[in-house]
Amino acid sequence: MLRGLEMETPRTNLAVASQPSDTLTTLKTESETLKTKLEEERAKLHDVELHQVAEKIEALGQFVMKTRRTLKGHGNKVLCMDWCKDKRRIVSSSQDGKVIVWDAFTTNKEHAVTMPCTWVMACAYAPSGCAVACGGLDNKCSVYPLSLDKNENLAAKKKSVAMHTNYLSACCFTNSDMQILTSSGDGTCALWDVESGQMLQSFHGHAADVLCLDLAPSETGNTFVSGGCDKKACVWDMRTGQCIQSFETHESDINSVRYYPSGDAFASGSDDATCRLYDLRADREVAIYSKESIIFGTSSVDFSLSGRLLFGGYNDYTINVWDVLKGTRVSILFGHENRVSTLRVSPDGTAFSYARLLVNWSGSHSVITPL
Amino acid sequence: MAKNNSLHPNSNGETEDSPNMLVYRKMEDVIARMQDEKNGIPIRTVKSFLSKIPSVFSGSDIVQWLLKNLFIEDQVEALHLGTLMAAHGYFFPISDHVLTLKDDGTFYRFQTPYFWPSNCWEPENTDYAVYLCKRTMQNKARLELADYEAESLARLQRAFARKWEFIFMQAEAQAKVDKKRDKIERKILDSQERAFWDVHRPVPGCVNTTEVDIKKSSRMKKPHKTRKSVYGLQNDIRSNSPTHTPAPEAKQPTEEELREQIKFWQAQLDRHRLKMSKVAESLLSYTEQYSDYDPFLCTPDPSNPWISDDTTFWEMEASKEPGQTRVRRWGFVINEVLKDPVGREQFLKFLESEFSSENLRFWLAVQELKKRPIREVPTRVQEIWEEFLAAGAPSAINVDSKSYDKTTQNVKDPGRYAFEDAQEHIYKLMKSDSYSRFIRSSAYQELLQAKKKKSKNLF
């Protein structure tokens, strides 16, 4: 009898032990091996540096910029802003819950609404110019139709569209007033039908808060890029919800992502004090924009119309302008005590606006052009 | 382009740095170099009237050191970085509450590491009360309260009315301990303590560098490391403020997630990649092609509206009669024609003249479909099917059989992407065939030449 038992037990023990943790470990190793292999494959095609190829083009001259407009009116830090397609109107949102629509050209305030929540971290202008979307700590994205009636009560027409389980970090209309793309502190992005509030697609893959997104500038593409606190930038297929490509070279949170105007590449700004350029065809990081003296994180980035210049707003109250191809800094704007939160180039590239907090005043924007 | 090492292991042996800690470590690396005996800033004791000013260096010393050691190109930038470091309290002016850097003989002192921001200080108002109270017990002129401090003290007295006896006792005890210290040591410690409070209770109107972006504060990695008690008044336990919700435990991936990851990496490995040299050439040529259109590189014609206050440039872009520069752009790539409403119109007109406009009309219809609310999609899909693809369709288009079969299936369960394959096929056709003919057509060439005689080049 004893012998029978002795023969049985070892076998059953073995069978139990080879199940859960072994499979997980094997899979983990396999995943990591593949990831390393991918990095090797990507590196193989790196036969030259971008700035080396760019040596043959002329350097940009000394760059001077000037503030052309200052929009004052927010009571607190301006967190986000977006241009209207008409190239002159702007929507901005602030820490105290206010959302304001301006004609930046005349500096007139055209509409204002107070959200029921503070920290409105995201806002966007609809392509038609007839609506704006915004959200933040309320975990939602709401759409407000704009009318010409000055006595309108914007708040009454508010439409709740997106629902996340954590703060809304960014929102953006697709090329229609009818769909909105959102990113959230809950680690996901989602595409919504504005009219019904239905979620059309969700995008899972980030391991932490998603902080930013940008739609690919294409008449034909259905992709967008997102950046998050997991230091990853991911390119998504809007049709299927799948992550098409991902890049993980930053050393800290990615606060901002913007496509290069051709749509073949995108730039990112991070708390690691660098901006980086990733090319989708080369499938890797192709340039880093940094300096030893820049130690504060990048909060916002955007390209000039041709893609030659990259504007970066930083947490040390400066805006650094980079030559995208040569990798050098061509200009620096000091905001003194003005923290730069969002920076956006206008749709036709004639100016860029950045949102800031003026220490002794209140929140404001500046519209900057070349001299 | 220095690569910064964010991987300092902390006392728990972990190497993740939150965004704030990353910046603190970088500043502390600079401070360490500034304090280096050989290559750092020379610290000295200065004789002044009947007393000595211990352990100081001047503002210009800092600026010069930064210029030399951090490869900074100009004084303004050095001043800017120095001011930031002062605002975070790493060094401070000994005779001013306002923490900025001046490029002159103003004296500065280093902060003691105990008070560094990387220790995650969040001092309570009770501590501030003890501090201000203690100051009033010290008779030195240099320690007199500033107006804003006196106001704060008054407010705190009202707020902590019931606790005040206790606070007063603490202040007395602290003052006693301070008195026992060596005079020079006292001067240094007093100034460092004051600088600490200048960071955490800044002069009104000054930037508060302890303000954290709310998106980051909710992810404080080591909440139990937050220090709140400067004078030992309360236990160093976290409060329940929103900035201290514990970071969720990093979840171990499940088996399914790992399998998904593996599939993803495999798909990535199969991807076709371009050589960097090719990509670089492409980026260069794109940028070059569009630099004439970039208002930051080339003044717009007739002027940049923001500079001249004249909106002619915008009016021209919106006009139904396109200017030469605008027409030239259509020739770059098909998307430029499709993007511009007048471009689309011209392209359509051209195709109609050739009786081949159905492709473009189909493409436009599908674009429109994707812009509609989801409620309208099924009807629109039917309409497009009837018009372009059904047997006997009035504007029949030619798609390959594979796309046709797929589309037939999709239409049965109509979604926004029902015509995606067909649209892609048609787009490729237009790009390779119709578009190049349009660009070479006399209609386009006329538009391109038409304004050339009228406008003058501004070079």
Side-chain angles (χ1 to χ4, degrees):
Chain A
M1 247 161 52
L2 272 168
R3 244 184 246 149
L5 276 168
E6 273 171 12
M7 283 200 309
E8 272 188 349
T9 354
R11 243 183 276 135
T12 40
N13 276 347
L14 265 175
V16 167
S18 72
Q19 274 313 319
S21 57
D22 272 4
T23 332
L24 275 180
T25 324
T26 332
L27 287 176
K28 254 197 217 167
T29 325
E30 193 183 340
S31 176
E32 262 142 50
T33 318
L34 284 172
K35 189 175 172 185
T36 317
K37 194 152 177 247
L38 177 63
E39 289 312 312
E40 285 165 10
E41 288 300 309
R42 280 170 162 176
K44 276 186 194 162
L45 292 169
H46 197 75
D47 53 346
V48 73
E49 292 290 339
L50 177 59
H51 63 82
Q52 288 172 312
V53 177
E55 269 161 28
K56 63 185 173 194
I57 56 175
E58 249 180 78
L60 296 168
Q62 241 322 320
F63 223 75
V64 188
M65 292 172 291
K66 194 161 177 232
T67 306
R68 300 290 168 184
R69 303 286 191 280
T70 304
L71 310 175
K72 293 188 211 129
H74 277 288
N76 210 319
K77 192 191 296 192
V78 181
L79 299 174
C80 187
M81 54 137 307
D82 189 24
W83 286 91
C84 176
K85 282 211 157 65
D86 72 0
K87 306 153 191 173
R88 54 190 285 172
R89 284 177 171 76
I90 285 178
V91 62
S92 59
S93 62
S94 64
Q95 191 177 323
D96 58 5
K98 277 223 173 59
V99 177
I100 302 181
V101 175
W102 319 72
D103 177 350
F105 193 68
T106 59
T107 72
N108 287 340
K109 281 200 212 76
E110 294 192 335
H111 307 270
V113 68
T114 308
M115 294 277 284
C117 70
T118 56
W119 288 87
V120 187
M121 301 176 234
C123 64
Y125 224 121
S128 68
C130 299
V132 293
C134 53
L137 277 190
D138 58 351
N139 300 357
K140 292 197 272 201
C141 185
S142 310
V143 175
Y144 293 86
L146 302 173
S147 78
L148 291 169
D149 179 6
K150 289 289 166 187
N151 296 323
E152 78 198 299
N153 180 7
L154 264 187
K157 299 210 222 127
K158 167 176 162 183
K159 192 190 188 84
S160 239
V161 174
M163 275 292 296
H164 278 280
T165 54
N166 207 326
Y167 65 85
L168 188 81
S169 53
C171 63
C172 164
F173 283 88
T174 59
N175 54 9
S176 151
D177 283 18
M178 296 297 139
Q179 287 112 34
I180 286 193
L181 199 53
T182 58
S183 65
S184 166
D186 67 13
T188 69
C189 300
L191 181 67
W192 310 82
D193 179 63
V194 173
E195 197 193 53
S196 62
Q198 189 188 331
M199 187 197 286
L200 299 171
Q201 186 62 254
S202 71
F203 306 90
H204 297 259
H206 277 287
D209 307 22
V210 186
L211 295 177
C212 51
L213 56 78
D214 190 28
L215 208 52
S218 166
E219 299 307 298
T220 54
N222 295 302
T223 60
F224 72 95
V225 63
S226 66
C229 294
D230 56 356
K231 313 174 198 168
K232 273 204 304 203
C234 298
V235 180
W236 306 89
D237 180 340
M238 279 164 70
R239 272 177 71 179
T240 61
Q242 293 302 310
C243 172
I244 312 175
Q245 271 171 292
S246 85
F247 305 90
E248 202 173 337
T249 61
H250 271 294
E251 293 169 13
S252 188
D253 300 5
I254 297 179
N255 296 314
S256 176
V257 283
R258 286 302 267 181
Y259 270 95
Y260 178 80
S262 73
D264 295 316
F266 68 90
S268 58
S270 159
D271 276 330
D272 67 7
T274 69
C275 301
R276 299 182 195 228
L277 185 69
Y278 297 91
D279 189 285
L280 301 176
R281 302 159 296 186
D283 190 32
R284 68 197 307 275
E285 173 193 295
V286 299
I288 306 183
Y289 309 99
S290 69
K291 265 180 171 285
E292 200 175 345
S293 54
I294 301 177
I295 58 179
F296 282 78
T298 319
S299 55
S300 191
V301 294
D302 204 355
F303 285 98
S304 71
L305 190 138
S306 64
R308 181 69 190 267
L309 299 171
L310 181 67
F311 300 98
Y314 290 73
N315 291 332
D316 65 356
Y317 325 138
T318 61
I319 293 173
N320 288 289
V321 186
W322 302 92
D323 180 330
V324 171
L325 303 173
K326 289 188 179 282
T328 53
R329 181 179 64 189
V330 296
S331 189
I332 177 168
L333 257 181
F334 292 99
H336 301 288
E337 292 95 35
N338 307 324
R339 217 167 284 177
V340 181
S341 55
T342 310
L343 186 156
R344 285 280 173 89
V345 174
S346 71
D348 63 353
T350 48
F352 73 85
S353 168
Y354 77 97
R356 60 188 190 159
L357 166 68
L358 272 170
V359 175
N360 287 317
W361 300 35
S362 44
S364 78
H365 314 251
S366 292
V367 179
I368 310 278
T369 65
L371 196 60
Chain B
M1 291 199 300
K3 237 189 148 84
N4 291 302
N5 182 15
S6 67
L7 305 177
H8 296 254
N10 59 35
S11 60
N12 282 10
E14 296 168 40
T15 53
E16 276 292 317
D17 259 345
S18 70
N20 282 347
M21 289 304 264
L22 202 59
V23 182
Y24 295 149
R25 300 255 178 252
K26 287 182 197 173
M27 285 195 278
E28 285 160 20
D29 284 344
V30 175
I31 292 289
R33 286 169 63 188
M34 281 181 169
Q35 290 175 326
D36 178 63
E37 274 188 21
K38 257 203 291 180
N39 301 316
I41 301 177
I43 305 174
R44 53 196 194 278
T45 300
V46 172
K47 291 213 177 76
S48 142
F49 303 122
L50 299 165
S51 63
K52 293 196 201 138
I53 307 177
S55 191
V56 289
F57 42 93
S58 73
S60 342
D61 286 342
I62 301 175
V63 175
Q64 290 308 309
W65 188 92
L66 287 171
L67 283 170
K68 190 169 146 208
N69 290 278
L70 288 187
F71 309 108
I72 293 176
E73 280 126 35
D74 68 63
Q75 185 249 24
V76 178
E77 228 192 306
L79 214 53
H80 178 81
L81 180 58
T83 295
L84 276 164
M85 295 182 72
H88 281 83
Y90 283 101
F91 48 77
F92 53 91
I94 62 172
S95 319
D96 200 342
H97 282 291
V98 178
L99 301 171
T100 55
L101 177 62
K102 295 202 186 112
D103 186 10
D104 57 20
T106 311
F107 288 131
Y108 289 80
R109 192 171 282 144
F110 281 118
Q111 180 59 283
T112 170
Y114 178 70
F115 280 137
W116 280 358
S118 51
N119 287 327
C120 305
W121 283 103
E122 278 181 35
E124 296 272 305
N125 278 330
T126 39
D127 282 295
Y128 191 42
V130 168
Y131 170 68
L132 290 176
C133 201
K134 174 173 72 156
R135 285 266 301 277
T136 62
M137 295 171 184
Q138 294 159 323
N139 296 331
K140 307 265 175 211
R142 66 178 161 84
L143 297 172
E144 248 176 47
L145 290 183
D147 286 342
Y148 78 94
E149 288 177 309
E151 275 173 41
S152 297
L153 181 57
R155 258 187 291 119
L156 289 166
Q157 275 176 320
R158 286 195 297 274
F160 294 128
R162 284 195 218 134
K163 283 203 225 181
W164 200 255
E165 208 179 307
F166 176 64
I167 289 176
F168 192 83
M169 272 167 42
Q170 285 293 318
E172 265 187 333
Q174 291 288 319
K176 248 198 203 151
V177 169
D178 288 346
K179 272 204 180 84
K180 293 199 185 130
R181 286 195 224 272
D182 161 70
K183 211 162 88 166
I184 297 286
E185 204 193 341
R186 263 190 84 179
K187 270 194 189 164
I188 297 177
L189 289 174
D190 280 350
S191 67
Q192 288 172 333
E193 193 186 17
R194 191 198 65 192
F196 171 79
W197 287 112
D198 288 337
V199 171
H200 291 274
R201 298 288 185 276
V203 178
C206 285
V207 172
N208 185 347
T209 56
T210 61
E211 258 180 25
V212 186
D213 182 339
I214 203 169
K215 295 178 281 193
K216 320 274 172 164
S217 69
S218 61
R219 288 183 308 119
M220 281 284 283
K221 302 271 175 169
K222 305 285 174 294
H224 57 277
K225 278 195 89 192
T226 306
R227 305 194 68 149
K228 298 170 82 67
S229 170
V230 188
Y231 306 110
L233 283 188
Q234 57 259 340
N235 299 325
D236 250 315
I237 315 170
R238 282 189 290 118
S239 69
N240 290 327
S241 72
T243 55
H244 293 112
T245 26
E249 283 295 318
K251 278 195 322 199
Q252 288 303 318
T254 64
E255 190 180 316
E256 199 190 316
E257 283 171 356
L258 283 168
R259 289 192 197 280
E260 283 298 312
Q261 266 180 35
I262 289 169
K263 254 189 9 199
F264 178 74
W265 296 130
Q266 280 165 342
Q268 292 303 303
L269 276 163
D270 288 339
R271 160 187 300 280
H272 172 66
R273 271 169 217 92
L274 283 187
K275 267 204 291 204
M276 188 58 217
S277 43
K278 267 213 169 132
V279 161
E281 289 298 337
S282 163
L283 290 169
L284 256 70
S285 67
Y286 180 91
T287 300
E288 197 168 348
Q289 190 173 49
Y290 283 90
S291 50
D292 282 350
Y293 295 86
D294 189 337
F296 274 87
L297 298 177
C298 189
T299 318
D301 174 21
S303 66
N304 184 327
W306 298 102
I307 302 177
S308 64
D309 283 337
D310 170 9
T311 58
T312 311
F313 180 67
W314 287 335
E315 284 153 27
M316 280 166 55
E317 287 294 308
S319 129
K320 290 260 167 188
E321 287 169 28
Q324 186 234 357
T325 30
R326 195 169 152 197
V327 175
R328 184 160 66 93
R329 206 167 154 168
W330 300 345
F332 291 170
V333 77
I334 187 177
N335 280 358
E336 289 291 344
V337 174
L338 295 173
K339 243 188 346 190
D340 186 339
V342 178
R344 284 201 296 271
E345 212 182 286
Q346 291 296 324
F347 192 24
L348 194 61
K349 240 167 76 178
F350 167 72
L351 291 173
E352 274 165 2
S353 72
E354 294 196 333
F355 304 102
S356 61
S357 67
E358 62 279 353
N359 282 350
L360 180 58
R361 283 190 290 116
F362 169 72
W363 189 88
L364 290 170
V366 178
Q367 288 295 91
E368 213 19 61
L369 167 71
K370 289 188 274 190
K371 291 184 188 174
R372 302 314 304 157
I374 199 90
R375 175 183 47 91
E376 294 176 16
V377 164
T379 330
R380 282 298 295 151
V381 167
Q382 266 310 115
E383 285 169 10
I384 294 176
W385 173 260
E386 298 292 324
E387 177 72 20
F388 296 100
L389 286 159
S395 313
I397 57 170
N398 277 327
V399 285
D400 61 296
S401 52
K402 193 168 168 207
S403 305
Y404 192 83
D405 291 337
K406 206 145 178 241
T407 312
T408 318
Q409 286 306 309
N410 290 345
V411 171
K412 295 193 181 137
D413 181 19
R416 293 165 64 233
Y417 296 109
F419 299 108
E420 211 59 9
D421 292 305
Q423 194 193 26
E424 219 179 290
H425 178 89
I426 292 295
Y427 176 79
K428 287 196 184 123
L429 222 58
M430 286 196 301
K431 187 171 172 184
S432 59
D433 184 41
S434 339
Y435 171 70
S436 26
R437 280 186 293 116
F438 169 61
I439 297 302
R440 278 178 279 137
S441 73
S442 50
Y444 175 76
Q445 290 300 323
E446 265 165 46
L447 277 173
L448 195 57
Q449 312 292 335
K451 300 286 178 180
K452 208 171 185 178
K453 292 170 193 154
K454 286 192 194 162
S455 79
K456 289 196 169 87
N457 276 339
L458 296 176
F459 293 119

